[in-house]
Amino acid sequence: MLPSLGRKYEFELEYISKPIAAYQTDEYFELDLPVAPAIMVAEEIVVEGSDVADAALEAAIRRHLGLPELEEKKSFLSRWLGR
């Protein structure tokens, strides 16, 4: 997911991986960082403790870069029914 978004948008990625025990210390909780696994875009916590939808991550990246939001893609049936 991130490699494809990295080709689509120009942004800097920082990937941090630590043993689970490192995220469960008092020192980590004092940093007021999200519960791992997590994805942050700048100061915005996109998701913590679970997976993230591609669309939600892309929307957060676009907000951070000051780009307009993407229009929601409608299915053929939704377009046909006018919804």
Side-chain angles (χ1 to χ4, degrees), residues 23 39 48:
Y23 294 109
I39 295 178
E48 64 180 313

Side-chain angles (χ1 to χ4, degrees), residues 2 22 70 82:
L2 284 176
L70 293 175

Side-chain angles (χ1 to χ4, degrees), residues 1-2 4-5 46 51-61 70:
M1 170 180 15
L2 284 176
S4 64
L5 290 175
V46 180
D51 291 336
V52 65
D54 293 354
L57 179 56
E58 185 170 5
I61 291 169
L70 293 175

Side-chain angles (χ1 to χ4, degrees), residues 33-48:
L33 292 171
V35 176
I39 295 178
M40 293 179 70
V41 175
E43 299 298 318
E44 176 185 352
I45 299 171
V46 180
V47 67
E48 64 180 313

